[in-house]
Amino acid sequence: MKTGVLFVCLGNICRSPLAHALFEYEIRQRGLSDSVFVDSCGCSSWHSGDLPDPRMRTEAARHGIDMTHRARRITASDGKNFDYIFAMDEEICDRLFDELGEKYWSKIRKFRVWDTDSSAGGIDVPDPYYGSKKDFASVYDICERNCRLIADRLFPV
């Protein structure tokens, strides 16, 4: 049975699909693609069916990461189907607690739970949607570092 890892942000077009793509890359590098299932979603349905934001795809492509995930909204079954659910910020964490219910609270963690880089601005991953190119690059760096940290913690080599 595969271990399920889910990344969640608001619209599922910037932060969570980037973490999804980066974590899949980490899993492939570790030879674990057959034992780990990775997905992402959002707490809203505003962008359901859309590709990730073009600015995020451009930033990821600069680093050789392809983002092809289509946005979707979280469902009740996600609590059951995933072993680890990572929220990109405090608001998303709170929404997940409400959405999935107490039964699945132990699966929910903040994405940056193991990040010790205090220079990166706290424990939340900032939403770059209304930001600049620099904001997208910063979010890329945060997500890349934390996907590695999560993979090291959950699937040490």
Side-chain angles (χ1 to χ4, degrees):
M1 185 160 158
K2 287 188 173 191
T3 300
V5 180
L6 181 66
F7 299 99
V8 188
C9 68
L10 185 58
N12 194 214
I13 60 166
C14 293
R15 299 170 292 173
S16 60
L18 175 64
H20 176 167
L22 287 167
F23 199 73
E24 280 184 334
Y25 174 81
E26 282 293 325
I27 293 305
R28 275 193 312 275
Q29 294 302 109
R30 295 164 191 252
L32 297 173
S33 296
D34 290 338
S35 58
V36 180
F37 173 68
V38 184
D39 199 3
S40 64
C41 64
C43 288
S44 77
S45 57
W46 297 330
H47 301 285
S48 289
D50 293 348
L51 283 169
D53 186 291
R55 297 165 294 175
M56 194 82 267
R57 290 194 325 252
T58 297
E59 182 61 32
R62 281 186 348 95
H63 299 274
I65 300 295
D66 190 28
M67 296 175 64
T68 59
H69 172 78
R70 295 284 179 164
R72 70 174 185 88
R73 189 185 188 292
I74 192 157
T75 64
S77 63
D78 287 327
K80 184 179 91 173
N81 295 334
F82 289 91
D83 301 286
Y84 301 96
I85 302 171
F86 290 96
M88 291 293 155
D89 60 40
E90 184 73 34
E91 179 186 344
I92 300 305
C93 204
D94 291 343
R95 285 183 180 212
L96 288 171
F97 287 142
D98 291 342
E99 191 85 24
L100 298 178
E102 190 173 336
K103 183 177 181 179
Y104 300 112
W105 285 1
S106 64
K107 296 181 176 191
I108 300 169
R109 292 168 174 77
K110 287 189 180 175
F111 179 70
R112 294 181 67 186
V113 66
W114 296 300
D115 192 347
T116 58
D117 185 353
S118 60
S119 69
I123 193 141
D124 288 347
V125 179
D127 189 343
Y129 188 76
Y130 293 107
S132 67
K133 191 175 183 177
K134 181 180 175 186
D135 295 319
F136 282 87
S138 175
V139 166
Y140 182 91
D141 292 342
I142 291 169
C143 286
E144 181 182 47
R145 179 178 64 255
N146 281 275
C147 282
R148 196 173 319 108
L149 290 169
I150 292 168
D152 287 346
R153 183 65 63 115
L154 300 182
F155 310 104
V157 286

